[in-house]
C-alpha cells in the first residue's frame, strides 16, 4: 500500500472555495467600539483587535475607535493587544451589530488575561505555523517535546531509540530547527542526532512551531523552522492557582508528575510569580517481541519566574534547571565487524536482557541551566523597547563500556556556557505601518573537561556572533497584510585542538551571512485565509561538522568532519491555505513548501570501522546542493452529532542535486485518520472526548541507491485510542486522561530512528494521567 496523497489536490480545490454559508446578506454584521484603559478610561491609540478564527482584524485609530465588519452571526473570540498592556481575549456572540468597548490591563469581570504569545498576526506574516495548547500538552503527558509537536502535519522526529527524539520540520532537523526557550535561543549541544532539547516542556503551557525559514527575525539555525516554548503571562491579581498532575505508562513502567503554583503579590499591583517542577522515570522499554535493554531514563526539571508590569514598564526574571540520565540501547554497541554486519542483517538485537530500571554504560547524563532577565519600556503610545539577557550552562557526559572498571569514567565530557543579548524596538508609523528593529549577540565557550582519557570528539572552541534586523509591516486593509524584512549577521569561530601529529593548532573561521523575507496574509473571504512567505536563510557550519573525529558514543557511530565546509544558504517558499466549509462544520488546511539549499551539510554513511572499543558504522559530514519540497494537509469534519473525523497527512521529497540522487534520511510519507466522539457533557463530566486513531507510515522508497547500511523499514500501521474528561470539584476541577499507543502491538522500525539497524521500536503502550487544577488556573 502506498500513500499517493490523492486527498491533497481535493483539499487544494476545496480551500480555494469560500464556504457557501459565508456569503450573502447574512454576513454583514459589525462589531465596533473603543479600546480604553481599564483604570482611567483613556483611549488606547492603535490597539490591535483581531479575530484569530477568521484571520481578520483591524487597528484602532488615534482615539481608540475600532470596527470589524462583514461578520456572520455566531460566536467569535476577539484578541486585543496594545503596547504596554497585556494581550487579552474576549468571547462575543453576534446576532446583530454590536457596540463593545474593550478595556485593557486587568479588568477581570470582562477580560481574561492570556499568555503573551508570539503568533500575533503581525509577528509571522505569511509564515505557516501551528500551536500545541495547554490541553493538548496535557494529553501528551509522559511524552518528549519532540513527540508533543509531532502531532502537527509536517513535523516529525529524528529518534535514537525509544527515549530520544529531536524535532524535524519539513525534513530538516538538528541545527536547522531553532528552539526558543522562553524567548531565549536554546544552546545545549544540539548538533548530535541523539541530543534531544534539554528543556522541560511543562515550563510553558503553549508550544508554537513556525514551519518556514525564519532567519530574519531569529537569526541562524532557523532554516527549517522554529520551535517556541512560549513565556507564560504571570497573574497580576486573584488568588493563588495551580495544578498537580500524575502520569503512569505501562511500557517501561514509567511514572512521573508535574505541578505548578502561581499568584499575584498582594499590595504590589502588577507583580506576579510562578513556580513549576516535574519529574519522570522509566525502565527499559519493550518492543513487540523483546526487551530493549538499557533504554531507561530519569529526568527532572524546575523553573521559577517573577514579573512586574504597569502601563509603561515591564520587568521579569526566569530561571530553569533540567537534568536527565538515559541509557543507550546496549545492542547498538558491538565488538567486531562480523557481529555488527550480522546484527544489522539478522533483524533481532544481539543482546536482550531482562527488564530493569537500572541504567548502565553506554549512557549519557545532561544538566542544563537557564537564567533570563527582560526589561520593557513603552517610550510612547507608539513605541516600545524590550531588552533581554540570557545565560545558559550545559553539561554533558557520555559513558562507554570500558575495560578495567572504567565505565564510570566519561568518554565525552563537555561544558558549554552561552550568553545571549537582544534589543528590540517596535513602533508605529501612522495607523497602518509599524516597524521592528532589533540587535542580537551571542558569546559561547565550549570546553572539554579533562580526565576522559580519550581524544575529544569535538574540540574546544569559542564563538561570537552579532546580528541586526529590520522588519516592516503594512496593514493594507482588513483583508491584506504585507511584511518585508532583512538581517545581517557575522559569526566568528575560534577552535583549539591537536592535529593528528599532536601539534596544537588554533584555526579560525569567520562567516558573514544575510537573510531577506517577504510575506503576505490575505483573506479573500471571511472563511478563507491564504499565507505566503518567501525567505532566504543561512546557517554557518557547526564545529561538530567541521572538526568531529572519532566515536560518538550516544549515536553508536564514528563521525568525521570537514574543516572546509561553508555556510548553508537557503531559499524557501511556503504557501498556506486554510478555509472553513459546510457552514463551519469542516476545516481544511494545506501547506505547500519548497526549499533550495546550497552547501547542504549532512552525515553520509561511509562504511564500517573496527576500533579498540568495538565495530561501528562510519558517517562523514559532506555538503551538497539540495532541493526539498512537500505538502502538509489537515482536514476536520464534524459528522453526525458529536462525532468528528480528522485527517492529517504529509510528504517530503529531498533531492541531492550535486549527485543527482535522493537525499539520505528524509521522512517517510504518513497519513493519520481519527474519529473523535465529544459530547457537550455526560452527567457531571464535561469536555469529554474519546478518539480512535489509525496511522500509516509508508516505506521510504526515495533513497540514494546503495548508500545505507540496510534497506528502509517496511510500511507500518499503528492503532491508538485516547479518552479524556473534566469534572468540576469544589473550586477546581479534576481532569482524567487515557492514551493507548500501538494497541495491536505491531513490530516495526522507523526510517528516522538511528537505532533501527539494531532493534524494533516500542511496542504497545498505555498511559494514564490525572490532573487537579485549582484557583484561577482551572
Amino acid at each position: 500500500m502506498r500513500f499517493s496523497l490523492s486527498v491533497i489536490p481535493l483539499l487544494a480545490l476545496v480551500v480555494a472555495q469560500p464556504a457557501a454559508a459565508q456569503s450573502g446578506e447574512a454576513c454583514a454584521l459589525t462589531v465596533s467600539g473603543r479600546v480604553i484603559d481599564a483604570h482611567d478610561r483613556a483611549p488606547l491609540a492603535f490597539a490591535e483587535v483581531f479575530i484569530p478564527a477568521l484571520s481578520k482584524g483591524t487597528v484602532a485609530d488615534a482615539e481608540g475607535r475600532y470596527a470589524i465588519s462583514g461578520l456572520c452571526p455566531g460566536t467569535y473570540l476577539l484578541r486585543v493587544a496594545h503596547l504596554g498592556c497585556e494581550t487579552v481575549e474576549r468571547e462575543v456572540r453576534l446576532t446583530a451589530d454590536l457596540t463593545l468597548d474593550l478595556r485593557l490591563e486587568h479588568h477581570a469581570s470582562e477580560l481574561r488575561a492570556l499568555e503573551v504569545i508570539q503568533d500575533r498576526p503581525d509577528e509571522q506574516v505569511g509564515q505557516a505555523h501551528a500551536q500545541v495548547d495547554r490541553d493538548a500538552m496535557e494529553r501528551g503527558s509522559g511524552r518528549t517535546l519532540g513527540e508533543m509537536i509531532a502531532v502537527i502535519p509536517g513535523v516529525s522526529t529524528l529518534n535514537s531509540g525509544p527515549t530520544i527524539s529531536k524535532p524535524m520540520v519539513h525534513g530538516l532537523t538538528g541545527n536547522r530547527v531553532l528552539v526558543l526557550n522562553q524567548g531565549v535561543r536554546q544552546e545545549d549541544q544540539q548538533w548530535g542526532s541523539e541530543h534531544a532539547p534539554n528543556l522541560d516542556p511543562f515550563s510553558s503551557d503553549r508550544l508554537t512551531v513556525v514551519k518556514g525559514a525564519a532567519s530574519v527575525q531569529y537569526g541562524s539555525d532557523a532554516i527549517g523552522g522554529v520551535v517556541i516554548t512560549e513565556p507564560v503571562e504571570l497573574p497580576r491579581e486573584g488568588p493563588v492557582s495551580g495544578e498537580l498532575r500524575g502520569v503512569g505508562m505501562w511500557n517501561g513502567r514509567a511514572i512521573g508528575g508535574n505541578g505548578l503554583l502561581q499568584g499575584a503579590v498582594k499590595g504590589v499591583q502588577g507583580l506576579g510569580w510562578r513556580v513549576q517542577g516535574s519529574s519522570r522515570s522509566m525502565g527499559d522499554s519493550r518492543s513487540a517481541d523483546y526487551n530493549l535493554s538499557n533504554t531507561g531514563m530519569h529526568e527532572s526539571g524546575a523553573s521559577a519566574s517573577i514579573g512586574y508590569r504597569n502601563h509603561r514598564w515591564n520587568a521579569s526574571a526566569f530561571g530553569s534547571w533540567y537534568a536527565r540520565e538515559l541509557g543507550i540501547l546496549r545492542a547498538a554497541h558491538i565488538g567486531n565487524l562480523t557481529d555488527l554486519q550480522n546484527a544489522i542483517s539478522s533483524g533481532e538485537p544481539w543482546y536482550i536482557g531482562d527488564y530493569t530500571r537500572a541504567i548502565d554504560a553506554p549512557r549519557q547524563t545532561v544538566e542544563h541551566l537557564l537564567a533570563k532577565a527582560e526589561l520593557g519600556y513603552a517610550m510612547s503610545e507608539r513605541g516600545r523597547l524590550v531588552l533581554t539577557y540570557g545565560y545558559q550552562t550545559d553539561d554533558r557526559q557520555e559513558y562507554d563500556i570500558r575495560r578495567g572498571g572504567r565505565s564510570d569514567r566519561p568518554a565525552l565530557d563537555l561544558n558549554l556556557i552561552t550568553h545571549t543579548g537582544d534589543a528590540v524596538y517596535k513602533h508605529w508609523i501612522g495607523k497602518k505601518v509599524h516597524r521592528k528593529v532589533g540587535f542580537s549577540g551571542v558569546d559561547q565557550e565550549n570546553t572539554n573537561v579533562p580526565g576522559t582519557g580519550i581524544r575529544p570528539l569535538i574540540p574546544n572552541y569559542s564563538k561570537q556572533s552579532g546580528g541586526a534586523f529590520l522588519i516592516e509591516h503594512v496593514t493594507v486593509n482588513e483583508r491584506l497584510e504585507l511584511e518585508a524584512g532583512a538581517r545581517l549577521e557575522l559569526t566568528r569561530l575560534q577552535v583549539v585542538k591537536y592535529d593528528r601529529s599532536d601539534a596544537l593548532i588554533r584555526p579560525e573561521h569567520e562567516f558573514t551571512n544575510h537573510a531577506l523575507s517577504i510575506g503576505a496574509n490575505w483573506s479573500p473571504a471571511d472563511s478563507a485565509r491564504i499565507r505566503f512567505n518567501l525567505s532566504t536563510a543561512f546557517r554557518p557550519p557547526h564545529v561538530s561538522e567541521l572538526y568531529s573525529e572519532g566515536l560518538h558514543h550516544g549515536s553508536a557511530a564514528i563521525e568525521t568532519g570537514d574543516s572546509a565546509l561553508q555556510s548553508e544558504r537557503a531559499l524557501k517558499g511556503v504557501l498556506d491555505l486554510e478555509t472553513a466549509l459546510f457552514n463551519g462544520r469542516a476545516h481544511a488546511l494545506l501547506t505547500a513548501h519548497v526549499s533550495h539549499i546550497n552547501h547542504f551539510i549532512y552525515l553520509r554513511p561511509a562504511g564500517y570501522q573496527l576500533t579498540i572499543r568495538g565495530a561501528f558504522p562510519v558517517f562523514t559530514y559532506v555538503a551538497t546542493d539540495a532541493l526539498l519540497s512537500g505538502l502538509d494537509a489537515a482536514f476536520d469534519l464534524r459528522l453526525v452529532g458529536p462525532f468528528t473525523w480528522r485527517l492529517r497527512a504529509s510528504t517530503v521529497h529531498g533531492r541531492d542535486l550535486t549527485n543527482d540522487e535522493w537525499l539520505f534520511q528524509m521522512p517517510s510519507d504518513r497519513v493519520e485518520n481519527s474519529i473523535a466522539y465529544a459530547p457537550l457533557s455526560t452527567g457531571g463530566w464535561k469536555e469529554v472526548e474519546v478518539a480512535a486513531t489509525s496511522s500509516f507510515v509508508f516505506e521510504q522508497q526515495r533513497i540514494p541507491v546503495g548508500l545505507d547500511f540496510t534497506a528502509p523499514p517496511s510500511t507500518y500501521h499503528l492503532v491508538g485510542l485516547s479518552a479524556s474528561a473534566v469534572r468540576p470539584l469544589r473550586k477546581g476541577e479534576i481532569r482524567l486522561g487515557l492514551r493507548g499507543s500501538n494497541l495491536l502491538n505491531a513490530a516495526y522500525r522507523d526510517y528516522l530512528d538511528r537505532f533501527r539497524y539494531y532493534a524494533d521500536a516500542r511496542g504497545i503502550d498505555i498511559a494514564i494521567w490525572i490532573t487537579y487544577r485549582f484557583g484561577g488556573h482551572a
Side-chain angles (χ1 to χ4, degrees):
M1 178 178 180
R2 288 294 297 159
F3 171 42
S4 65
L5 285 177
S6 58
V7 71
I8 298 296
L10 294 178
L11 283 178
L13 179 62
V14 168
V15 169
Q17 306 177 29
Q22 302 289 326
S23 60
E25 296 182 359
C27 297
L29 302 182
T30 298
V31 58
S32 61
R34 300 172 71 227
V35 183
I36 59 178
D37 185 273
H39 302 286
D40 58 15
R41 300 182 63 84
L44 297 179
F46 308 112
E48 302 169 15
V49 184
F50 192 71
I51 302 177
L54 303 180
S55 291
K56 184 174 186 176
T58 188
V59 177
D61 63 16
E63 299 301 320
R65 292 186 292 264
Y66 76 95
I68 304 176
S69 58
L71 301 177
C72 302
T75 301
Y76 299 96
L77 201 66
L78 291 182
R79 180 176 297 164
V80 192
H82 184 263
L83 292 170
C85 298
E86 296 182 12
T87 303
V88 296
E89 288 185 344
R90 180 171 180 178
E91 187 174 84
V92 297
R93 180 172 180 81
L94 290 183
T95 56
D97 290 345
L98 176 66
T99 300
L100 178 68
D101 288 346
L102 300 170
R103 304 181 183 187
L104 292 186
E105 189 71 25
H106 305 306
H107 199 286
S109 62
E110 292 191 11
L111 297 176
R112 176 174 60 87
L114 184 75
E115 303 85 347
V116 175
I117 61 175
Q118 298 187 20
D119 74 333
R120 282 176 34 200
D122 65 336
E123 296 293 333
Q124 296 163 356
V125 171
Q127 292 280 20
H129 58 277
Q131 289 188 336
V132 179
D133 62 19
R134 178 176 66 164
D135 292 342
M137 292 177 64
E138 181 182 53
R139 291 192 293 271
S141 295
R143 290 178 166 173
T144 65
L145 171 70
E147 291 170 330
M148 284 184 180
I149 63 175
V151 299
I152 298 172
V155 180
S156 51
T157 57
L158 178 66
N159 302 317
S160 294
T163 57
I164 305 174
S165 61
K166 294 174 67 71
M168 175 178 280
V169 180
H170 289 168
L172 300 176
T173 187
N175 286 324
R176 298 185 188 91
V177 176
L178 176 65
V179 176
L180 284 182
N181 185 5
Q182 306 294 321
V184 176
R185 295 174 62 97
Q186 178 81 1
E187 297 287 349
D188 56 2
Q189 308 286 3
Q190 62 267 30
W191 49 271
S193 62
E194 89 297 356
H195 298 174
N198 295 329
L199 61 88
D200 178 7
F202 286 104
S203 62
S204 173
D205 57 7
R206 187 189 301 265
L207 305 174
T208 298
V209 178
V210 179
K211 299 190 291 184
S215 287
V216 168
Q217 181 164 342
Y218 300 112
S220 64
D221 298 355
I223 286 181
V226 186
V227 177
I228 305 169
T229 64
E230 307 282 6
V232 177
E233 182 66 15
L234 300 175
R236 311 300 179 191
E237 60 184 5
V240 172
S241 62
E243 69 178 30
L244 295 171
R245 179 182 299 114
V247 183
M249 299 174 64
W250 181 79
N251 197 324
R253 305 176 196 175
I255 56 173
N258 63 283
L260 71 87
L261 285 174
Q262 61 181 15
V265 177
K266 293 183 178 180
V268 184
Q269 187 175 11
L271 183 63
W273 57 271
R274 185 178 194 261
V275 292
Q276 171 271 338
S278 67
S279 183
R280 185 164 63 117
S281 175
M282 63 185 296
D284 291 341
S285 294
R286 181 176 178 83
S287 72
D289 300 314
Y290 46 77
N291 189 53
L292 299 171
S293 297
N294 201 47
T295 55
M297 181 270 296
H298 312 305
E299 66 178 3
S300 299
S303 67
S305 57
I306 187 169
Y308 171 78
R309 177 188 291 271
N310 63 20
H311 297 291
R312 191 166 292 274
W313 290 92
N314 74 278
S316 64
F318 174 88
S320 66
W321 166 82
Y322 177 83
R324 174 168 50 190
E325 178 185 22
L326 54 86
I328 303 299
L329 180 70
R330 179 66 182 87
H333 285 238
I334 299 173
N336 58 69
L337 288 174
T338 300
D339 289 345
L340 174 61
Q341 293 166 344
N342 289 339
I344 290 177
S345 61
S346 70
E348 185 171 295
W350 71 270
Y351 180 87
I352 301 175
D354 295 331
Y355 170 88
T356 178
R357 301 188 73 86
I359 298 175
D360 297 320
R363 62 186 177 93
Q364 58 181 235
T365 62
V366 294
E367 185 173 13
H368 188 86
L369 294 173
L370 166 66
K372 170 196 170 184
E374 183 173 285
L375 178 66
Y377 176 63
M379 305 177 70
S380 69
E381 284 291 321
R382 298 193 178 198
R384 185 172 189 82
L385 176 67
V386 178
L387 305 176
T388 306
Y389 167 75
Y391 169 82
Q392 297 175 76
T393 178
D394 189 86
D395 292 295
R396 168 175 289 272
Q397 293 84 35
E398 298 186 4
Y399 298 84
D400 194 12
I401 300 173
R402 306 175 73 174
R403 298 184 180 93
R406 297 183 300 152
S407 294
D408 289 333
R409 184 179 180 183
L412 180 70
D413 194 348
L414 297 172
N415 173 254
L416 181 69
I417 296 177
T418 307
H419 302 267
T420 59
D422 297 273
V424 177
Y425 179 63
K426 178 179 177 181
H427 67 110
W428 287 93
I429 307 172
K431 180 180 178 180
K432 295 188 175 182
V433 180
H434 70 249
R435 172 180 298 158
K436 180 188 288 186
V437 60
F439 301 90
S440 61
V442 177
D443 181 78
Q444 191 171 79
E445 192 83 22
N446 182 80
T447 304
N448 283 275
V449 178
T452 64
I454 295 175
R455 188 181 186 92
L457 174 64
I458 64 171
N460 294 343
Y461 69 88
S462 63
K463 184 178 76 171
Q464 297 80 37
S465 66
F469 72 88
L470 173 68
I471 297 175
E472 296 280 351
H473 176 91
V474 179
T475 303
V476 179
N477 53 48
E478 65 179 15
R479 293 191 180 275
L480 179 62
E481 295 177 281
L482 302 176
E483 186 175 275
R487 183 184 187 93
L488 179 66
E489 185 165 301
L490 288 79
T491 302
R492 185 185 184 191
L493 179 66
Q494 299 168 294
V495 177
V496 179
K497 68 183 297 288
Y498 288 93
D499 63 16
R500 295 192 176 277
S501 60
D502 287 333
L504 183 65
I505 58 175
R506 300 177 183 271
E508 295 187 5
H509 302 262
E510 292 188 356
F511 306 95
T512 301
N513 291 291
H514 64 270
L516 303 171
S517 177
I518 56 173
N521 290 352
W522 179 43
S523 298
D526 293 337
S527 61
R529 184 198 69 189
I530 299 174
R531 292 178 180 268
F532 173 74
N533 182 268
L534 181 65
S535 300
T536 64
F538 61 88
R539 185 183 72 86
H542 189 270
V543 69
S544 63
E545 296 164 328
L546 296 169
Y547 292 105
S548 285
E549 53 175 341
L551 177 62
H552 190 181
H553 307 274
S555 60
I558 294 172
E559 298 175 0
T560 304
D562 181 354
S563 61
L565 293 173
Q566 305 175 44
S567 290
E568 292 182 343
R569 300 183 185 276
L571 174 64
K572 183 170 185 176
V574 180
L575 179 64
D576 197 41
L577 311 174
E578 184 175 10
T579 189
L581 302 163
F582 312 132
N583 296 330
R585 293 180 58 190
H587 177 267
L589 174 65
L590 176 69
T591 302
H593 60 93
V594 60
S595 303
H596 184 279
I597 306 177
N598 289 327
H599 310 299
F600 178 81
I601 302 170
Y602 70 101
L603 275 172
R604 186 178 178 90
Y608 305 94
Q609 184 174 330
L610 179 63
T611 73
I612 61 172
R613 283 166 282 170
F616 300 93
V618 178
F619 292 84
T620 302
Y621 285 103
V622 299
T624 187
D625 292 341
L627 180 67
L628 285 79
S629 60
L631 295 171
D632 312 329
F635 184 76
D636 294 356
L637 176 63
R638 193 168 68 249
L639 303 172
V640 177
F643 290 93
T644 300
W645 170 51
R646 299 168 183 159
L647 168 71
R648 303 291 184 265
S650 63
T651 182
V652 177
H653 293 214
R655 290 292 296 179
D656 182 334
L657 300 179
T658 303
N659 298 309
D660 191 24
E661 62 183 8
W662 294 110
L663 275 178
F664 177 64
Q665 217 164 44
M666 289 289 106
S668 303
D669 297 342
R670 57 195 65 214
V671 178
E672 178 181 288
N673 283 278
S674 63
I675 296 291
Y677 171 76
L680 294 178
S681 62
T682 302
W685 296 90
K686 61 179 183 178
E687 298 181 33
V688 176
E689 180 176 289
V690 179
T693 303
S694 170
S695 301
F696 279 94
V697 178
F698 299 93
E699 180 181 339
Q700 178 59 281
Q701 296 182 353
R702 299 182 294 272
I703 59 172
V705 178
L707 179 64
D708 204 356
F709 300 111
T710 186
S714 301
T715 296
Y716 63 87
H717 175 220
L718 303 181
V719 174
L721 181 69
S722 63
S724 60
V726 178
R727 188 180 186 92
L729 180 65
R730 297 187 178 91
K731 295 183 179 180
E733 61 184 23
I734 290 289
R735 307 174 65 89
L736 298 176
L738 176 70
R739 184 182 69 244
S741 306
N742 192 8
L743 291 179
L744 301 182
N745 202 28
Y748 73 97
R749 302 188 183 194
D750 190 271
Y751 182 67
L752 292 181
D753 190 342
R754 285 286 295 269
F755 288 170
R756 64 181 170 88
Y757 302 120
Y758 313 106
D760 291 344
R762 282 163 64 94
I764 185 173
D765 190 20
I766 297 175
I768 186 171
W769 49 263
I770 180 171
T771 303
Y772 175 58
R773 291 181 181 172
F774 58 91
H777 197 72

